[in-house]
Amino acid sequence: MSERRWSIGELAAAGGVTVRTLHHYDRIGLVSPAERTPAGHRRYAEADVRRFYRVRTLCGMGLSLDEVAVVLRDAGDDPGSLRGLLTAQLADLEARAARLAESAQRLRGLLSRLAEEAMPEPEQFLAALEPMSVDAGRYLSAGQLATITGRAAELGGEAIETLKTEWLGLFTRLRRHLLDGTPVDDPAVQDLIGRWRETAAAFHPGDRRFEAATTALWADNRAGIGRELDERLGWSGPAGAAEVVDYLRKARAAGEGFLEGMDE
């Protein structure tokens, strides 16, 4: 029986990454397909899938692609090497499970307070915020996370809800522009981007290190975050949350390029 092959689209969908990510992995020699069809289409073999698993797992543990390449350079495609990686991933998942259990306990405390007809303190709500599927602590430093949490506490619940409502409105209007094919440098889009920056500035610093961290977080987890946002927003169709974020990022880059040109 011949060994199974995966197309680049099949592997991307199964691994929760984009085709562009797999192109990049191939370009830098991290995960390359075992063969190509006569038409030039990539076909991944079982060993390629195992290597892809290693890459995604190591990236999920916080390693850069350069660091992943170093680890894989000395690791063979054998049960012993894979066993060590699986053990490390299991430990990581157990640590996450412990954090989720702690969050669940905090939520039980909130429910108990509400059952007693006593409104919990704002700090209790902030502490009980359910984490997204992506562990932001792998990308943001403890200081950056503390800054975000501190600013949220300073704003208070009412201001945060107002900002969330504005954020949703901006996000929805950007989606409409995306569906309408509005260029990212259009004044109407740039106006929304300016308001987006003002809203985001209330929560976090806009320095280069923070931008680099959030860029890496998005690049590594685009598909999963997009699906989660779509579920929360109730969106479906050709322009999901991931596509809107991509559109937003391009619009921001276009706006920054215009401002830099004015400074020259």
Side-chain angles (χ1 to χ4, degrees), residues 32-239:
S32 297
E35 59 188 43
R36 289 177 180 264
T37 67
H41 299 304
R42 293 170 172 83
R43 290 294 180 265
Y44 293 85
E46 293 177 2
D48 303 326
V49 174
R50 289 193 293 271
R51 185 175 176 88
F52 173 67
Y53 163 77
R54 287 178 166 88
V55 170
R56 297 306 301 160
T57 300
L58 291 168
C59 285
M61 293 177 180
L63 275 68
S64 69
L65 292 181
D66 287 340
E67 292 170 330
V68 170
V70 171
V71 172
L72 294 183
R73 191 178 305 148
D74 300 324
D77 186 22
D78 59 83
S81 173
L82 186 58
R83 188 178 297 110
L85 189 58
L86 287 169
T87 300
Q89 187 184 25
L90 177 60
D92 180 65
L93 289 174
E94 288 175 339
R96 294 191 194 189
R99 290 194 294 271
L100 287 172
E102 184 178 354
S103 295
Q105 184 60 38
R106 289 171 178 165
L107 286 172
R108 292 189 189 97
L110 289 177
L111 288 170
S112 298
R113 294 275 296 183
L114 291 172
E116 298 167 0
E117 297 186 354
M119 183 61 68
E121 295 297 321
E123 290 77 12
Q124 288 179 276
F125 281 112
L126 291 172
L129 285 174
E130 181 180 357
M132 293 183 69
S133 58
V134 177
D135 184 0
R138 295 186 175 280
Y139 299 87
L140 300 174
S141 68
Q144 289 169 329
L145 290 171
T147 297
I148 295 172
T149 303
R151 290 191 180 186
E154 291 172 4
L155 287 168
E158 185 176 347
I160 289 175
E161 287 305 315
T162 299
L163 287 169
K164 283 182 178 179
T165 300
E166 183 174 0
W167 174 87
L168 179 58
L170 292 171
F171 205 56
T172 302
R173 291 175 66 184
L174 284 168
R175 184 184 188 225
R176 173 46 54 192
H177 279 296
L178 173 60
L179 288 168
D180 291 343
T182 308
V184 294
D185 57 355
D186 185 276
V189 175
Q190 287 301 313
D191 179 63
L192 293 177
I193 295 302
R195 291 169 59 188
W196 180 279
R197 287 195 185 95
E198 293 174 1
T199 302
F203 286 99
H204 62 74
D207 57 45
R208 293 293 182 184
R209 288 179 299 177
F210 185 87
E211 291 294 334
T214 54
T215 295
L217 186 153
W218 177 249
D220 290 346
N221 304 279
R222 177 185 180 279
I225 294 175
R227 285 194 298 270
E228 188 166 334
L229 287 173
D230 284 339
E231 290 176 2
R232 293 187 180 188
L233 297 171
W235 284 2
S236 61

